[in-house]
Amino acid sequence: DIQMTQSPSSLSASVEDRVTITCRASQSITRYLNWYQQRPGKAPKLLIYDASSLQSGVPSRFSGSGSGTDFTLTISSLQPEDFATYYCQQSYSTPFTFGPGTKVDIK
Amino acid sequence: QVQLVESGGGVVQPGGSLRLSCAASGFTFSSYAMHWVRQAPGQGLEWVATIRFDGSNKFFADSVKGRFTISRDNSKSTLYLQLKSLRPADTAVYYCAKDGLGGMATMDHWGQGTLVTVSS
């Protein structure tokens, strides 16, 4: 099975900060990497698919990069509604594993 | 707009069974693979199962293999998850999700979830 790790596990940031979250796969997943946002008590929401493609309707301040085993989610200017937990997920092979999540809260 | 509405959750004793449903609307259900993902209280996301658009292939997490069954009725635009031999570790919110663009399991729309509690 492909294991996914994320760093950091949590971070504190201020509005308008630039935030970067890293995701690493235990083996190459080429570009089959997705990013989701989950606000408390809500269902996850797809932000980025295939490492760098922005899902329709998602603000352009979200971007993704990477390939192989190392990936990054960047929020260029953090907004109040962005305080949430972010999960990466590989869609390369079953089981479709998620990372443990990165919680972004207010500094 | 895409809408996914789960139902069927509840409290069940260990060893018991439950059937979850996910009613889909706003898209051509029969054209998309569908997924179940769960989230234990205070924990992260865990992929549970996937079914192809026509039901021809099904995939399961090892943690549920042999106990859970995924199925779909394309005439009713409904996805199902049959849960058997339930364990306390199966306690979670269960989400259904629609497949999207990209890789094999890119989940572009999610339901609100239904809570399954396994407890005596």
Side-chain angles (χ1 to χ4, degrees):
Chain A
D1 295 0
I2 298 172
Q3 310 302 319
M4 306 300 294
T5 58
Q6 288 182 235
S7 61
S9 57
S10 65
L11 66 91
S12 295
S14 301
V15 173
E16 298 185 355
D17 279 355
R18 181 181 182 88
V19 168
T20 298
I21 299 169
T22 297
C23 176
R24 177 166 288 174
S26 60
Q27 65 186 73
S28 177
I29 56 172
T30 63
R31 294 179 61 81
Y32 290 116
L33 190 282
N34 306 317
W35 289 99
Y36 301 87
Q37 175 194 66
Q38 187 178 33
R39 298 186 178 112
K42 300 296 186 182
K45 172 186 174 182
L46 178 66
L47 299 176
I48 301 286
Y49 64 94
D50 288 355
S52 61
S53 295
L54 191 68
Q55 172 68 4
S56 176
V58 173
S60 59
R61 63 180 180 273
F62 292 94
S63 64
S65 64
S67 65
T69 60
D70 294 317
F71 301 87
T72 299
L73 173 70
T74 299
I75 310 172
S76 60
S77 176
L78 199 66
Q79 297 302 300
E81 60 268 30
D82 300 337
F83 292 97
T85 299
Y86 294 83
Y87 295 93
C88 62
Q89 175 237 344
Q90 62 86 10
S91 57
Y92 180 79
S93 66
T94 60
F96 299 119
T97 38
F98 288 86
T102 295
K103 185 176 181 181
V104 177
D105 62 22
I106 301 172
K107 183 183 288 184
Chain B
Q1 73 283 16
V2 173
Q3 193 168 12
L4 299 169
V5 180
E6 301 95 336
S7 60
V11 180
V12 60
Q13 292 188 338
S17 299
L18 214 54
R19 189 177 83 156
L20 307 183
S21 299
C22 171
S25 60
F27 64 103
T28 305
F29 181 76
S30 59
S31 297
Y32 292 90
M34 295 293 294
H35 312 279
W36 287 100
V37 175
R38 69 183 181 183
Q39 186 169 36
Q43 302 301 308
L45 301 169
E46 180 188 15
W47 169 76
V48 172
T50 293
I51 185 168
R52 282 178 56 94
F53 69 99
D54 58 358
S56 60
N57 289 90
K58 305 171 184 181
F59 308 92
F60 297 92
D62 284 347
S63 58
V64 307
K65 203 171 290 183
R67 301 188 300 121
F68 290 10
T69 302
I70 189 172
S71 62
R72 64 191 298 159
D73 186 336
N74 285 345
S75 69
K76 295 182 178 179
S77 295
T78 302
L79 175 72
Y80 302 101
L81 187 68
Q82 178 73 48
L83 293 66
K84 295 183 178 179
S85 303
L86 282 162
R87 307 165 179 167
D90 296 317
T91 294
V93 174
Y94 286 73
Y95 296 101
C96 69
K98 169 188 167 290
D99 202 47
L101 300 174
M104 204 163 33
T106 297
M107 303 168 197
D108 68 352
H109 288 84
W110 297 61
Q112 85 288 350
T114 188
L115 177 62
V116 172
T117 302
V118 184
S119 173
S120 54

